[in-house]
Amino acid sequence: MNQPHALALDVGTRYARLAVAGPGDGPAGPVPLPGEVPGEGLPLSAEARGRPVVALREAYGAYLARYGPPAGAVVVLPRRTAGELAAAATDALVAEGCPRVRVIGAAHALLALVRHAPDGVAGTGEYLVCDAGARAVDAARCALTGPSVLLRATAERTGPGGLLGSGFDAALLAAAGLSDDDGNRLLAAARRDDPGGRRLGLAVTRAERRPDPFDDTPVHRLGDRDVTAGTVRTSLPPLLDAVRRALAEVAPSPGARARPPLLLAGGLARLEPLARRLEESHRLLPLPGEVDPGWAAVCGGALVAAGLADPGDRYPYAVRVLIHRRSAGRLRTEELELTAPGVLEPGGDTVFACRDGRAAEVLADPAAHRPLRIEAVGPDGGTVPLPDVVLPADAPDGLCRVGVRVGADGAADLVLRPVAPGADAETRLPLGPLPVLPPA
């Protein structure tokens, strides 16, 4: 890489996956790094496992030592940790000198990947996105609303012992009598010898139909040990159950007119028997080109980092507040649009209200103790309220600009910024996550 590339990082339980994209419109792909396990990524040290921010620093340090600073970076986080870790992840890379750091969720990264492909999804509609990895399966029902991707419903499931893919691998290694660390490298190598898992899928299909004698068919050779089709067959049900439960939680109501297609990714999406069973009840969307399902999210993140794909995480609705104004000596209630649709971006700047093309200025009146009614407004005029906000006693007592800011974790604040020079710092009032309107 002769000039800086845009970098994406996806830190898991055992490995960190790093991908780059650009400059130009070429495909995103994995970053070669010393000590990596082909197909899996950079092994995390014992100190970094289970500590995502430490693992992120470790992975970024390995990239920095080999290639120097990237042009920008995106960190892909699962939904369950995005709120908790977004700010810390961004701060960690900024502290290392990385420019233009942002965080996106796995579902947004995956849809960015397939929307970027020439024959990828387009237009509006709903999609199920399932990221099945070492620890858990994250499922989401996503609606494409113009340029935005809305998460209408989300769910997470793990397997026995709070693990999913890594628990499955541990069961295979235990049956072969192998230790965890050495066995995982052998297992990764064996899977590379069966691209697409076709040989494994055929053997497991036979074992499902006739356990005797096909359970004893070797499907992976790990050194001088074998993993058999029967071991895989009997270890599959917890995985399949977890994925099916997560998808059932996010699926549309039974009366829905159409069943959304499924985008299946993550390390477990490589497991042919699992994908085949899900294909019996879902229409699976293909990943573009030769993208490895285990690397799909981080490749989508790299496209976003390079500016080649839009993650679609801007809020697609307008946000307005009901305010009180005195006109001709009478108190009147009116609606003030705080932000237009598609403007608010997680981790972006505060968006301030305008009226007639100019910055709107309001008088905060804490003495009135009136709750402020704030609501999201859909394109068809439908509304959904946000939590009411009561101005604190120390709210600014002069003219203020009023706006909304969305943090990297997706939580929004109402912002009051005094207009007068030298006035006190702005006031932020938590609004929580911005709501999603029900489907029309």
Side-chain angles (χ1 to χ4, degrees):
M1 292 184 288
N2 297 323
Q3 52 184 309
H5 282 59
L7 173 69
L9 304 98
D10 182 4
V11 174
T13 59
R14 182 178 293 275
Y15 300 100
R17 290 174 177 158
L18 289 79
V20 292
D25 198 25
V31 178
L33 288 169
E36 69 179 358
V37 175
E40 297 299 332
L42 185 68
L44 298 173
S45 67
E47 294 76 20
R49 292 179 189 174
R51 303 171 66 189
V53 177
V54 175
L56 185 64
R57 287 199 192 98
E58 183 174 281
Y60 182 72
Y63 177 89
L64 203 62
R66 182 67 180 267
Y67 299 108
V74 159
V75 180
V76 180
L77 289 178
R79 178 193 54 82
R80 64 181 178 273
T81 59
E84 174 188 354
L85 296 176
T90 301
D91 292 345
L93 294 194
V94 168
E96 298 293 331
C98 182
R100 296 193 299 108
V101 183
R102 69 175 298 182
V103 169
I104 63 173
H108 286 96
L110 289 168
L111 280 170
L113 176 71
V114 297
R115 295 175 87 189
H116 175 72
D119 56 349
V121 301
T124 60
E126 290 195 336
Y127 297 86
L128 301 181
V129 179
C130 181
D131 183 26
R135 199 198 77 87
V137 52
D138 270 316
R141 177 160 51 94
C142 303
L144 302 190
T145 307
S148 296
V149 176
L150 273 177
L151 272 60
R152 290 209 178 278
T154 60
E156 176 192 279
R157 288 281 178 171
T158 62
L163 297 172
L164 196 66
S166 57
F168 175 76
D169 289 350
L172 302 189
L173 296 178
L178 291 169
S179 64
D180 193 39
D181 284 331
D182 293 339
N184 271 287
R185 289 178 177 270
L186 292 171
L187 191 55
R191 285 169 172 160
R192 290 198 305 277
D193 290 338
D194 184 17
R198 294 179 181 84
R199 187 171 67 244
L200 170 71
L202 179 61
V204 173
T205 298
R206 288 174 174 170
E208 288 170 340
R209 293 171 181 167
R210 292 180 58 194
D212 184 16
F214 292 116
D215 265 355
D216 293 332
T217 304
V219 293
H220 294 313
R221 184 69 176 173
L222 310 182
D224 59 351
R225 312 289 179 88
D226 286 330
V227 174
T228 65
T231 300
V232 176
R233 177 182 66 81
T234 56
S235 301
L236 271 174
L239 302 187
L240 187 59
D241 182 64
V243 175
R244 281 177 169 167
R245 284 175 177 267
L247 290 173
E249 287 185 45
V250 301
S253 61
R257 287 176 294 179
R259 191 180 187 94
L262 171 62
L263 178 60
L264 180 65
L268 286 177
R270 304 163 169 167
L271 192 57
E272 192 277 345
L274 177 67
R276 172 172 45 83
R277 295 294 293 274
L278 291 174
E279 201 167 18
E280 294 171 0
S281 53
H282 295 82
R283 179 168 68 88
L284 298 187
L285 290 172
L287 291 171
E290 300 298 320
V291 175
D292 184 321
W295 290 78
V298 74
C299 285
L303 292 172
V304 172
L308 300 175
D310 191 324
D313 55 354
R314 290 180 176 86
Y315 193 57
Y317 307 139
V319 180
R320 71 186 180 194
V321 60
L322 302 184
I323 63 172
H324 304 286
R325 298 183 68 196
R326 287 200 176 274
S327 177
R330 300 183 63 182
L331 193 64
R332 300 179 183 274
T333 300
E334 68 176 45
E335 298 166 350
L336 176 64
E337 184 176 90
L338 296 173
T339 70
V343 174
L344 286 172
E345 179 181 346
D349 295 332
T350 301
V351 178
F352 288 100
C354 291
R355 185 189 287 119
D356 300 326
R358 300 177 59 186
E361 297 177 354
V362 299
L363 269 175
D365 186 8
H369 295 293
R370 295 189 185 96
L372 292 177
R373 180 174 174 80
I374 303 170
E375 54 192 18
V377 186
D380 59 355
T383 63
V384 59
L386 279 72
D388 286 345
V389 171
V390 178
L391 298 180
D394 60 350
D397 59 2
L399 284 171
C400 295
R401 297 187 66 187
V402 59
V404 179
R405 180 183 182 275
V406 179
D409 60 357
D413 290 329
L414 183 72
V415 178
L416 293 171
R417 180 175 293 175
V419 173
D424 293 338
E426 66 184 23
T427 299
R428 294 187 180 184
L429 307 172
L431 296 174
L434 294 173
V436 175
L437 273 70

